[in-house]
Amino acid sequence: MVNHHKEEHARVLKHRWPSRLFHWGLVIGFLPAAITGLIIWQKPGSEEFVNLAMRIHIVSAAILTISAFTFMFTGFDRIVAFFRLVLSWSRHDLEWLKIGGGYPHKILLGREVPVMPMDKLNSGQKLMGVIMLVGGAFLTASGWLLYSFIPFFPKLFVYWVEFGHLWIGLAMTACLVGHMFLGIYNQGEFKSMFGDGTQPLSEVKHHNPLWVAHKIERVTGKTTEEPIEKGA
C-alpha cells in the first residue's frame, strides 16, 4: 500500500527478500557456471586450466541448486505468483513483443513509442521466466546426472543428455546476457532487485501500470497488501 500524503516520494516494495536472495544466487551460481561451461566446451589453455574450470563449474552448479531449493522453501508464495504471471498471456503480450517493449526504439533511436500496459512482469520478463524455468530445470537435472550417474545409463542416452546440456546452456547464457543488459539499462529495477527491493512509485507506474492499478491502494493506515511504502 502507498500512503496518499507521501505518494510523491513513496517507494513500493516490488521484490521481497526470497526473490532477491535467489537472484543473488543466480549471479553467483549461474554466471560462473556459464563461463566455465564455455571453457570446458572449447578447452582453451592447459589441462590444469580446464580441470580448474570444471571444479568451479561444479561448485557454481551446487550454489545454483542450493539457491533454487532455498527459494522453494522461503518463497513458495512468490513461486506460485510467478507461475500465475508467466503463464498468463493475452494479445497485449504479443503486441508488446512485436515491438520489443519499445526498447529497440529507445536504445537505438532514442525515442519513445507507445507500448501495451503491463502487470508486475512485462511480456519479455514472462518469456524469460519460462525459458529460465524450463531450461534451468533441465540444466540442473542433466548436470547432476552427468556428474554422478553416467555409469548407470546407456551411452546413447548420456550422449543426448550431454548434447542438450551444452546447447540449452548456450541458449540460456545468450538469454541471460540480454536479460542482464536490459536489467542494468533499467537501473531502477536493477537497484530494486539487488538492493532493498523497493522502487519509486513513479517508476513503477511507468513500467507496470496494471500492477499499480490493481495491486496498490492509497491508504493512511496499516495494510496487508504486497506493495508497501518503504519503512511501513
Side-chain angles (χ1 to χ4, degrees):
M1 294 290 184
V2 179
N3 191 300
H4 178 66
H5 303 291
K6 299 180 180 180
E7 181 175 333
E8 183 179 353
H9 303 289
R11 298 183 68 86
V12 176
L13 178 60
K14 193 173 185 183
H15 303 293
R16 294 182 180 273
W17 72 264
S19 300
R20 304 199 305 273
L21 181 63
F22 179 59
H23 272 73
W24 275 108
L26 287 176
V27 171
I28 298 171
F30 188 86
L31 282 180
I35 294 169
T36 53
L38 291 172
I39 293 172
I40 295 166
W41 176 39
Q42 293 296 316
K43 296 180 173 57
S46 64
E47 183 178 349
E48 290 77 13
F49 177 69
V50 176
N51 287 337
L52 175 61
M54 176 60 80
R55 290 194 290 271
I56 296 174
H57 192 75
I58 294 169
V59 172
S60 301
I63 293 172
L64 187 60
T65 303
I66 292 170
S67 298
F69 278 101
T70 300
F71 189 37
M72 287 175 61
F73 287 110
T74 62
F76 187 75
D77 60 328
R78 299 296 86 206
I79 296 175
V80 172
F82 174 77
F83 269 102
R84 186 170 62 246
L85 285 171
V86 300
L87 297 178
S88 175
W89 288 75
S90 70
R91 64 177 182 85
H92 287 180
D93 293 292
L94 299 179
E95 293 296 329
W96 192 98
L97 290 173
K98 283 181 182 178
I99 59 171
Y103 286 109
H105 297 81
K106 286 190 287 186
I107 296 171
L108 300 177
L109 303 177
R111 63 187 181 88
E112 298 272 352
V113 295
V115 296
M116 287 292 182
M118 291 286 104
D119 205 309
K120 188 175 184 180
L121 297 180
N122 63 45
S123 307
Q125 290 170 323
K126 288 182 181 182
L127 186 60
M128 183 66 183
V130 173
I131 292 172
M132 292 298 292
L133 180 66
V134 176
F138 177 82
L139 287 182
T140 301
S142 60
W144 290 115
L145 184 151
L146 293 170
Y147 176 69
S148 302
F149 301 104
I150 285 181
F152 302 101
F153 293 95
K155 291 183 178 180
L156 183 61
F157 177 77
V158 172
Y159 168 81
W160 284 112
V161 170
E162 189 173 22
F163 181 88
H165 190 81
L166 169 62
W167 291 102
I168 290 177
L170 289 173
M172 287 188 61
T173 300
C175 290
L176 185 64
V177 169
H179 185 64
M180 289 173 57
F181 173 78
L182 290 176
I184 296 172
Y185 178 78
N186 290 314
Q187 293 186 22
E189 180 71 19
F190 181 83
K191 291 177 181 178
S192 174
M193 181 58 77
F194 292 98
D196 64 1
T198 67
Q199 193 171 355
L201 177 61
S202 57
E203 292 183 6
V204 180
K205 280 184 174 181
H206 177 71
H207 292 287
N208 314 100
L210 295 183
W211 188 55
V212 172
H214 299 297
K215 301 291 174 61
I216 298 179
E217 300 176 7
R218 298 182 179 90
V219 297
T220 56
K222 188 176 179 180
T223 166
T224 58
E225 284 289 330
E226 178 186 334
I228 62 172
E229 183 179 354
K230 185 178 179 181

